[in-house]
Amino acid sequence: MPVDMQRIRELPALVRNPREMARHARSNVELWANILVIGGAIAFMLWQGAGFAVIVGTVFAIWAILSVSLNLVVGFTGLLSVGHIGFFGVGAYTMAILTSSPEYEQLRTEAIPTFGWPFFAALPVCALLAGLAAIIVGIVFNRFRDDIFVLVSFGFAIISFNVFLNWRAVTRGAFGIHEIARPEIGDWRFDGDVEFLLLCLAFLAVVMLISWFVVSSSFGRVLTAIREDEQAIEVFGYQATHYKLAVWVISAMMAGIAGGLFSSWTTFIDPNSFILLESVLLVAIVILGGLATIWGSLLGAMAFVLLEEGMRFIPFLPTEYIGQARQVVLGILLVLLMLFRPQGLVGRYRL
Amino acid sequence: MTSSRSGQTDYVLQTEAISKHFGAVRAVDELTLAIPRQGTTSIVGPNGSGKSTLVNLLSGVLPLDGGMVIIDGAGLRVVKAHETPDHGLTRTFQEVRLFDQITVWDNIMVVLTERRLFPALFERARPATRQKARDILEQVGMWDKRDSLAQDLSYGQRKLVEIGRALAMNVNTYLMDEPFAGLFPQMIERVKAIMKQMRTDGHTIVFISHNMEIVRELSDRIIVLDSGALLAAGEVEPVLNSEEVIEAYLGA
Amino acid sequence: MSSQRETARGFPARFNIPGTRVLALVLATAVVAYLAWKIGQSPPQALQFAFNGIAVGAVYALLAMGFTLVYSTVWFFDLYYGAAAALGAYGVFYLRTATALGSRADVNNVYVNAVFAAVVGGVVAWVLYTLLHPRLRGRFTPNTIGVASGLLGGGAGAYTGIVLAFPENLHLTLSPAIGVVVAAAAIVVPFWAVQTFVPNIRLSRFTAIAGLPAVVIGAWCGYLTAGAPGAGLYLSWAVSCLLAGCVGLALYRGLYMYMRERARSPLIMLVASLGILLAVAAFIVIVFEAAPRPLPTAFGSETWKIAGARIKGFNIFAIGVALAGFAILWLLLKQTSFGRAVRAIGDDEEVSKVVGINTTVIIAGVFFIGAMYAALAGILTGHDTAVQPRMGLLLLLKGWIASVVGGIGNLYGAIVGGFVLGVVEQFGIWDLAGEWKDAIAFVLLILFLSFWPQGLLPRR
């Protein structure tokens, strides 16, 4: 997608046609966005070395899985969901509880149920439970569209946060769950950061592949039609609610996988990882990168991670304000994008 | 969807005392009519006489407040929009409702593909389907525009694509809500030609129009609505020349 | 046809699956019966919950009124509204840090002052220009009017800067402004009153007669204010409300107006305002840190006992503020030409433009008023509990829910919805921990949207 040879060949003809020129300049934004973000990533890696790449890479991979999955809902189906973090949280807590070891939990005062499952047995369950939650939520939410959908999806984020915080018998509330196991196959533990990075990237690849499979099928084309005009597509024999529910569940299952990876990576989770703000940031990433493209979500996640790392090098900015400064920049970026480029950096769809 | 259960009844579309109210306004009021199989039927009437509402009710876009719709012999008290193609019915919209931010090509392809959820997930466009989409686009003369987004087309082109999208459904009955409104004469000729072709192919066409010349030229039968009720129906000339119709149009 | 537009904005049709409404009715009856039983068990506790609910509901009602006003005019969800609530509350904290924290903490920041001074200056200049230009077009060139408004706006900005720079002397710095405002009110309000009896009187003629007493009254009020350092806290309320309102107006003029001219979809507007909310929330954290902070104690910190239930004096004040806010908005919307214009724009903006309503000015006013209501609600919440940067989003959502429950676009619905939401939240946590109340609010919302999407009092 980044460089289109055909376009370069058509250049002389373009120069003579002002309308095509304008179009060409617009698509150049995509080119520049790609160069800027990828170039920035490479520059950072060269500058900071491999250790940096490994840590940042894992963060990027998890955000990227989330944003690719959310793009299925926001970009391809046109449902602006701000509640995606809830499914991420379901996945994370499922992983934490299923892999928690009895020996460790006995030492705790407020013990949670323990299962001691291995990582790879728990991960499918993460996806399944997130999908189950999505079915229940989706059946309720299926009736809502546009602004009201945004509102109720805010509601889902808040309700799920409340559940994580207050269902102490399972989540141990604000104390969080410690000592979450790293994955292992036989004797090979994914202890090192590099192994975990590779694991995350592998899952990212799988998620991207599934997303691509979904959106390039007839199913994907119907999703885009639902996004444009739900009533019209019904007239042509499609039951829009079924399609919306299906893509909602697929997307939630991907988020569940991201949650499982996340809790295994940090080895500690508490409800503060699943606050509404994170969800809003996720939506910002998806829109920043570009709606209705898988590549855009990757780009958005990468830009988001780089933005944080880049902030570390602003001389007069204290370290504790980096997150906030990034949020300010992201907010302003969102405003500018909505003004001048509502489809995001490389997007194919304007809200 | 390509059902052709012809010969069951003489009428492809019937309504029995259907009603639709918007607050105190009775857009369609206890309307009973019948549209015979084959040929072209036009629906005319002054503004606000319930023509578009009628089409919306028949295609399930608006829920019925009362009465029954009989499509191809099947009596329905609730018309579900997604089931209308199974009854051999499709439509176009008055305000063109294309899928704006996808290409013309996808606009046509989307109605040619699998309806069921899981098969759709595993379906890629087959050569036969592509050929069919190509045929349709060539028929309406929009093959050159296949890669543009629907929102970038001109109004007339959008109308043509919408008619093409309906044609792609390949059903018995086409409801066309003002297919000629806002078109240049040249475009009108094109749409007329397409509709004549459809008629020769044996489809039933029901269309709404304000243009009496086109109505006279194209339609075999005519239905006149006024204030949500049936004013007259039958052959074109007698109906259009009847006193009550003239009065309704020229106004009391 | 407004009903069609609301459906288009994502309001669902009612559930029409047979049985679901019956089920909902049965469930609702069960809940009500259970609550009645609980109330019978311990009436004082129930009364306590009711008091708490109404107290919280007052804040929600204020939020919902402003929110529904903005939404039913421009038909997009403006998330800046939440930021306005946080800005209002933090404005009071900013101006009163010394009394809040018991010491002269160094929060006062010259950059922040400059930003707000610039915003106020710009807003005042624009408002003056747009108001004066059509009236003085014949007598002065547009350039003259522009320069004059620019100078006046600059003056207003400088004045704002001075006010913000000396927060401990608000009573002194604001006394001239109070004097002018009171003097103006002393002319205009009697003028309206007299106008009903003397139909043909003109404001200029009236001013000549009533000018002197008005000026005296104004000067006296200014003098009183200058001599009352204790008024600082309450003056800071007004200042931060006005600041939040100015930011809202500036956002409309600087951003939303362009987007609306480009016919951006409501969702794009929503995302843009989401960006503003993110930026403002983070900005607040940078300036004030994330920890919850107390606001200085206002009056009414004593509690009263009524029939075994306690209620804070301040909560009664909050309820009073909500009712007063409702009364003011009712007067403004139902009794003035401004209100009719707002209504017309909400129904159809294009037509309003055609019939000669200056939509830009009216919508700007709506944003200003809406943000002021949000800021007021934020201040009341801050005094009731504490201020924290995240309060904005949560208050916004509560106002949003309350206005949907009450019926979006309906002023009466907003105040009813606010109190209903507050009471339901409080009774909902009777058997649960208090942390669940946000979840309860959203469950109420989803139930309402599913079974009663038009709300309690639908917009006609």
Side-chain angles (χ1 to χ4, degrees):
Chain A
M1 183 184 309
V3 183
D4 194 343
M5 283 312 290
Q6 174 124 24
R7 207 169 260 161
I8 293 170
R9 261 182 265 120
E10 285 169 355
L11 213 62
L14 277 176
V15 177
R16 282 186 296 262
N17 186 341
R19 204 179 150 158
E20 285 297 308
M21 277 278 281
R23 203 180 187 143
H24 191 68
R26 269 209 295 284
S27 52
N28 261 352
V29 175
E30 294 186 4
L31 190 65
W32 287 116
N34 278 306
I35 290 173
L36 202 70
V37 175
I38 297 172
I42 293 171
F44 262 106
M45 274 185 227
L46 291 178
W47 186 14
Q48 296 289 304
F52 168 88
V54 169
I55 301 292
V56 170
T58 316
V59 178
F60 157 73
I62 290 172
W63 275 115
I65 295 177
L66 276 176
S67 54
V68 167
S69 67
L70 185 58
N71 211 341
L72 281 182
V73 174
V74 178
F76 288 99
T77 324
L79 300 167
L80 187 58
S81 164
V82 198
H84 213 56
I85 209 78
F87 302 122
F88 181 63
V90 169
Y93 272 102
T94 310
M95 174 58 76
I97 293 158
L98 286 182
T99 59
S100 57
S101 69
E103 305 91 64
Y104 176 73
E105 281 302 322
Q106 274 164 8
L107 304 174
R108 314 286 307 186
T109 44
E110 264 190 86
I112 54 168
T114 56
F115 295 90
W117 286 21
F119 174 88
F120 286 103
L123 202 58
V125 183
C126 292
L128 279 181
L129 279 187
L132 204 66
I135 292 177
I136 296 165
V137 174
I139 288 174
V140 178
F141 282 15
N142 230 332
R143 308 159 27 70
F144 309 125
R145 281 183 294 129
D146 298 343
D147 299 348
I148 290 297
F149 188 87
V150 178
L151 175 57
V152 292
S153 70
F154 266 121
F156 173 62
I158 283 186
I159 290 173
S160 59
F161 173 74
N162 268 292
V163 170
F164 298 144
L165 188 64
N166 297 323
W167 196 9
R168 299 217 178 81
V170 172
T171 65
R172 207 190 277 133
F175 298 118
I177 300 176
H178 298 259
E179 306 274 317
I180 301 163
R182 281 288 174 96
E184 48 189 7
I185 303 172
D187 286 340
W188 182 34
R189 249 170 86 80
F190 285 69
D191 230 355
D193 288 326
V194 179
E195 285 102 322
F196 207 89
L197 170 67
L198 292 178
L199 184 74
C200 287
L201 288 179
F203 273 105
L204 174 60
V206 170
V207 163
M208 283 172 68
L209 209 66
I210 295 174
S211 289
W212 175 82
F213 187 79
V214 168
V215 301
S216 66
S217 66
S218 300
F219 180 90
R221 197 183 290 115
V222 178
L223 290 183
T224 53
I226 289 173
R227 173 186 83 191
E228 298 303 330
D229 193 334
E230 199 177 322
Q231 219 170 23
I233 195 69
E234 290 248 330
V235 170
F236 298 108
Y238 292 97
Q239 249 183 311
T241 47
H242 293 187
Y243 280 80
K244 286 198 293 186
L245 189 61
V247 76
W248 178 251
V249 171
I250 292 172
S251 160
M253 288 172 84
M254 291 173 179
I257 287 181
L261 287 171
F262 172 77
S263 71
S264 183
W265 180 60
T266 55
T267 70
F268 164 71
I269 53 168
D270 70 348
N272 281 330
S273 308
F274 311 109
I275 55 173
L276 179 58
L277 184 67
E278 301 280 323
S279 209
V280 174
L281 289 180
L282 181 60
V283 171
I285 291 173
V286 172
I287 294 173
L288 169 71
L291 292 165
T293 54
I294 296 168
W295 175 246
S297 298
L298 286 191
L299 213 60
M302 200 178 279
F304 179 73
V305 173
L306 286 180
L307 212 55
E308 180 169 20
E309 298 307 320
M311 291 280 171
R312 291 189 201 287
F313 300 98
I314 296 177
F316 52 83
L317 190 69
T319 339
E320 64 263 31
Y321 291 144
I322 284 174
Q324 309 305 331
R326 175 179 65 176
Q327 202 177 316
V328 171
V329 172
L330 206 62
I332 293 171
L333 268 181
L334 268 190
V335 172
L336 292 179
L337 278 177
M338 290 302 108
L339 254 181
F340 299 113
R341 207 177 156 76
Q343 68 268 51
L345 290 178
V346 300
R348 290 279 171 276
Y349 164 58
R350 297 157 180 241
L351 280 172
Chain B
M1 66 191 182
T2 57
S3 75
S4 51
R5 292 170 288 171
S6 49
Q8 289 173 357
T9 50
D10 294 339
Y11 296 107
V12 72
L13 262 175
Q14 285 165 276
T15 66
E16 276 188 16
I18 58 169
S19 302
K20 181 70 194 176
H21 303 174
F22 296 110
V25 182
R26 299 179 162 198
V28 171
D29 192 17
E30 305 262 318
L31 181 65
T32 302
L33 52 78
I35 295 165
R37 192 173 300 283
Q38 309 283 348
T40 306
T41 308
S42 53
I43 303 177
V44 299
N47 283 327
S49 58
K51 307 183 296 290
S52 283
T53 309
L54 173 65
V55 169
N56 284 339
L57 290 175
L58 292 176
S59 60
V61 170
L62 287 175
L64 286 169
D65 282 350
M68 184 162 75
V69 173
I70 303 160
I71 308 177
D72 213 357
L76 305 167
R77 294 210 173 272
V78 178
V79 185
K80 287 182 182 159
H82 64 92
E83 284 173 0
T84 50
D86 298 337
H87 299 295
L89 187 76
T90 195
R91 67 167 293 179
T92 66
F93 293 90
Q94 181 178 8
E95 72 300 4
V96 184
R97 285 169 78 168
L98 288 178
F99 307 119
D100 278 339
Q101 301 194 35
I102 57 181
T103 58
V104 170
W105 173 255
D106 281 337
N107 265 284
I108 302 294
M109 283 295 283
V110 77
V111 302
L112 290 171
T113 50
E114 181 61 55
R115 258 61 172 174
R116 285 164 302 158
L117 205 75
F118 286 101
L121 202 48
F122 296 97
E123 189 191 61
R124 298 290 182 278
R126 282 185 296 263
T129 324
R130 289 166 171 280
Q131 186 55 45
K132 198 170 169 197
R134 179 174 183 155
D135 292 344
I136 300 266
L137 280 176
E138 277 170 350
Q139 188 184 346
V140 297
M142 297 301 292
W143 173 245
D144 297 338
K145 292 280 180 186
R146 63 189 177 280
D147 287 332
S148 349
L149 296 185
Q151 64 185 7
D152 294 340
L153 298 182
S154 73
Y155 181 75
Q157 290 169 330
R158 285 164 62 81
K159 279 255 172 188
L160 286 178
V161 173
E162 196 183 30
I163 291 169
R165 188 177 64 179
L167 280 179
M169 293 291 289
N170 193 23
V171 290
N172 280 340
T173 314
Y174 294 85
L175 304 176
M176 304 176 92
D177 197 347
E178 306 225 4
F180 301 104
L183 290 185
F184 295 115
Q186 197 189 351
M187 282 285 189
I188 290 181
E189 289 307 318
R190 223 150 132 184
V191 175
K192 269 199 243 172
I194 293 170
M195 285 171 70
K196 281 175 183 162
Q197 180 61 41
M198 286 160 74
R199 186 177 176 279
T200 349
D201 292 346
H203 297 295
T204 312
I205 302 172
V206 180
F207 75 99
I208 296 176
S209 183
H210 282 293
N211 188 330
M212 286 307 143
E213 279 174 34
I214 298 176
V215 168
R216 286 200 167 92
E217 181 183 344
L218 288 183
S219 41
D220 304 318
R221 284 168 304 271
I222 190 166
I223 291 171
V224 185
L225 295 185
D226 189 28
S227 325
L230 187 65
L231 194 67
E235 298 286 317
V236 180
E237 284 307 324
V239 167
L240 281 185
N241 292 332
S242 72
E243 239 167 63
E244 51 200 334
V245 172
I246 291 169
E247 191 180 326
Y249 260 93
L250 299 177
Chain C
M1 205 183 285
S2 71
S3 68
Q4 226 167 29
R5 173 176 350 225
E6 274 156 33
T7 338
R9 296 303 325 129
F11 280 88
R14 228 176 245 170
F15 255 136
N16 46 12
I17 306 164
T20 39
R21 303 204 71 203
V22 178
L23 188 73
L25 211 64
V26 168
L27 278 178
T29 320
V31 168
V32 168
Y34 177 71
L35 271 181
W37 176 74
K38 286 219 67 141
I39 292 169
Q41 294 296 93
S42 57
Q45 211 181 348
L47 194 65
Q48 182 66 58
F49 277 122
F51 279 168
N52 293 351
I54 293 171
V56 184
V59 174
Y60 295 164
L62 269 181
L63 284 164
M65 279 186 270
F67 190 84
T68 211
L69 170 68
V70 174
Y71 181 74
S72 65
T73 313
V74 294
W75 298 107
F76 79 93
F77 283 127
D78 176 25
L79 300 190
Y80 161 73
Y81 197 72
L87 270 186
Y90 269 95
V92 173
F93 178 75
Y94 183 78
L95 293 170
R96 297 282 94 192
T97 323
T99 37
L101 300 180
S103 67
R104 184 74 188 87
D106 190 27
V107 173
N108 207 331
N109 183 323
V110 66
Y111 300 111
V112 175
N113 294 347
V115 166
F116 280 105
V119 166
V120 172
V123 164
V124 169
W126 177 75
V127 168
L128 283 178
Y129 183 77
T130 37
L131 288 184
L132 293 182
H133 183 250
R135 274 156 224 204
L136 303 179
R137 193 161 22 198
R139 276 176 272 175
F140 300 97
T141 62
N143 279 345
T144 320
I145 303 171
V147 168
S149 338
L151 283 176
L152 285 172
Y159 184 60
T160 313
I162 291 168
V163 168
L164 290 178
F166 301 103
E168 64 272 38
N169 291 325
L170 278 185
H171 58 290
L172 295 179
T173 50
L174 282 178
S175 57
I178 299 235
V180 171
V181 168
V182 170
I187 292 176
V188 171
V189 172
F191 169 70
W192 276 339
V194 170
Q195 206 180 21
T196 51
F197 300 108
V198 192
N200 290 327
I201 196 164
R202 300 226 312 263
L203 186 58
S204 52
R205 191 174 301 161
F206 185 82
T207 315
I209 304 164
L212 191 66
V215 168
V216 170
I217 294 171
W220 183 60
C221 281
Y223 174 73
L224 276 189
T225 318
L233 177 61
Y234 310 107
L235 290 176
S236 74
W237 290 3
V239 171
S240 50
C241 278
L242 286 172
L243 282 184
C246 281
V247 175
L249 203 163
L251 272 178
Y252 168 68
R253 182 60 187 79
L255 179 66
Y256 298 150
M257 212 179 95
Y258 289 118
M259 302 184 76
R260 283 163 65 77
E261 275 168 6
R262 293 177 180 204
R264 298 292 198 222
S265 78
L267 271 186
I268 288 182
M269 313 280 291
L270 191 150
V271 171
S273 66
L274 184 71
I276 291 162
L277 179 68
L278 277 180
V280 171
F283 171 77
I284 288 175
V285 176
I286 290 173
V287 178
F288 297 100
E289 296 179 353
R293 299 294 190 85
L295 284 186
T297 35
F299 65 88
S301 52
E302 74 279 6
T303 53
W304 299 339
K305 249 181 132 111
I306 303 168
R310 281 194 306 274
I311 184 159
K312 263 202 299 190
F314 189 78
N315 287 341
I316 293 177
F317 171 71
I319 296 167
V321 169
L323 295 177
F326 171 74
I328 292 171
L329 210 52
W330 182 84
L331 279 176
L332 205 58
L333 290 182
K334 308 281 173 187
Q335 302 298 322
T336 65
S337 59
F338 173 81
R340 283 189 290 278
V342 166
R343 178 83 201 182
I345 293 171
D347 283 343
D348 196 324
E349 196 177 331
E350 290 308 312
V351 171
S352 324
K353 242 180 228 167
V354 171
V355 300
I357 295 172
N358 190 343
T359 51
T360 313
V361 173
I362 300 289
I363 296 176
V366 163
F367 271 91
F368 184 75
I369 294 168
M372 290 233 298
Y373 271 71
L376 197 57
I379 292 167
L380 291 178
T381 317
H383 276 294
D384 206 22
T385 53
V387 292
Q388 51 179 320
R390 269 188 218 159
M391 68 192 285
L393 186 51
L394 212 54
L395 282 179
L396 162 80
L397 292 175
K398 291 296 171 60
W400 199 344
I401 297 173
S403 57
V404 170
V405 166
I408 207 136
N410 187 323
L411 185 61
Y412 308 105
I415 191 160
V416 171
F419 283 115
V420 165
L421 177 64
V423 171
V424 167
E425 247 184 40
Q426 290 299 321
F427 277 98
I429 60 173
W430 196 336
D431 283 334
L432 297 167
E435 292 92 29
W436 287 100
K437 70 173 193 286
D438 300 335
I440 289 167
F442 274 102
V443 170
L444 180 75
L445 170 78
I446 290 169
L447 288 179
F448 254 88
L449 283 174
S450 296
F451 298 108
W452 213 338
Q454 298 301 320
L456 291 172
L457 303 169
R459 184 177 200 258
R460 281 149 292 118

